[in-house]
Amino acid sequence: MSTITHQQALDKLAAHQLVQVIEDDVASLTSTAMSYAKHDQQMTVAGHVLPLLLGRWNCVLNASDDEASPGYRDKTALALALLLHKHGIAEPAITQRALQAIDNLNAAVALSDAFFRNTDAIKALLSSPALPLKKRPSTRDSLTFLRAQDVIAIQLEQYYYAAYVHEITGFNAYPVVEFYHARFEHRPDMASLQGCTAQGETYNDGKTRISLHAVCGMRHVPDPANQFHLIATGITEKPDQSKLAASVGLHAISDLFRLQGIMRKTGI
């Protein structure tokens, strides 16, 4: 049986943007985890990466057919498994879903003959031991296509949250966002946000202060992970900060994964 590399297998998915966004996420999380693991012997790279990664990409994997087609879900599952394996991480449930995705894609004749001919090689690659990386993976520069005065909805598990984009820092690098103090069971629209105040952060002194976040990773609109959604543009009315104390600094540097902890505190 012939062998295949991770990149060769990924190329046969014919989904360059999807693969690139997943690789950005996996590389960023793996790089951070490898740095932390040097100072914390109780921490594993997989233990850090997997919950945060799935918190984002489950928005595709668990999506309905209206939100993501079966073929897109299968491509996502396979790309996730291949890229995790490439970065030295294997998780049995993800691997099993990827193996099933290969069969689904072949049954639907969704990809090329080259993909079909390499089925056994791709399955063998996924079933082989994932070799831990010896050095931290490189990551791309941050970029965003969001704009100031955009309003976005962000999904995490069964809830949606909303955030206002105050500005874009750098050369289209980071959107600076502020959360509304609200949580929704369905994707909100602007009507849902009427009367919502700004979500602050409570500090050790007991004061709840204005809280802004410059977020890395909000690159594409629409988002290939189906996690964040543009719901309005050109909104001049900002979230009401009148009941919040002054912020500490301009904003905190963050990313889509650090925001998960912030969202879990929002609207509760």
Side-chain angles (χ1 to χ4, degrees), residues 1-2 4 102 115-125:
M1 182 181 68
S2 62
I4 194 170
I102 294 171
F115 179 83
F116 178 77
R117 290 195 302 270
N118 283 276
T119 291
D120 290 342
I122 297 171
K123 288 184 174 182
L125 176 63

Side-chain angles (χ1 to χ4, degrees), residues 36-45 47-48:
Y36 288 166
K38 290 180 179 179
H39 308 287
D40 184 355
Q41 295 182 348
Q42 301 300 315
M43 178 184 171
T44 65
V45 172
H48 176 81

Side-chain angles (χ1 to χ4, degrees), residues 91-172:
E91 200 283 324
I94 294 175
T95 300
Q96 187 57 46
R97 179 155 185 176
L99 295 174
Q100 182 60 54
I102 294 171
D103 292 339
N104 294 346
L105 290 165
N106 281 331
V109 196
L111 294 172
S112 65
D113 288 343
F115 179 83
F116 178 77
R117 290 195 302 270
N118 283 276
T119 291
D120 290 342
I122 297 171
K123 288 184 174 182
L125 176 63
L126 286 174
S127 301
S128 66
L131 302 178
L133 297 184
K134 295 181 179 179
K135 64 178 182 178
R136 292 167 57 191
S138 60
T139 56
R140 288 197 294 172
D141 291 340
S142 185
L143 177 69
T144 185
F145 292 99
L146 291 170
R147 294 293 178 262
Q149 300 182 347
D150 286 347
V151 178
I152 56 175
I154 309 174
Q155 183 181 359
L156 181 63
E157 295 159 352
Q158 73 270 35
Y159 294 113
Y160 287 89
Y161 307 82
Y164 182 85
V165 180
H166 283 266
E167 61 176 314
I168 306 298
T169 63
F171 186 70
N172 294 336

Side-chain angles (χ1 to χ4, degrees), residues 14 22 27 32 43 69 92 103 114 132 138-139 141 163 175 196-197 207 220 252 255:
I22 296 176
T32 300
M43 178 184 171
S69 68
D103 292 339
S138 60
T139 56
D141 291 340
C196 291
T197 58
K207 293 183 178 180
H220 296 287
D255 60 32

Side-chain angles (χ1 to χ4, degrees), residues 22-71:
I22 296 176
E23 183 147 33
D24 286 342
D25 289 350
V26 174
S28 175
L29 285 169
T30 302
S31 179
T32 300
M34 290 176 72
S35 295
Y36 288 166
K38 290 180 179 179
H39 308 287
D40 184 355
Q41 295 182 348
Q42 301 300 315
M43 178 184 171
T44 65
V45 172
H48 176 81
V49 171
L50 289 170
L52 293 171
L53 185 71
L54 291 176
R56 173 159 160 73
W57 286 93
N58 274 342
C59 298
V60 172
L61 297 179
N62 297 337
S64 66
D65 289 352
D66 291 338
E67 295 179 307
S69 68

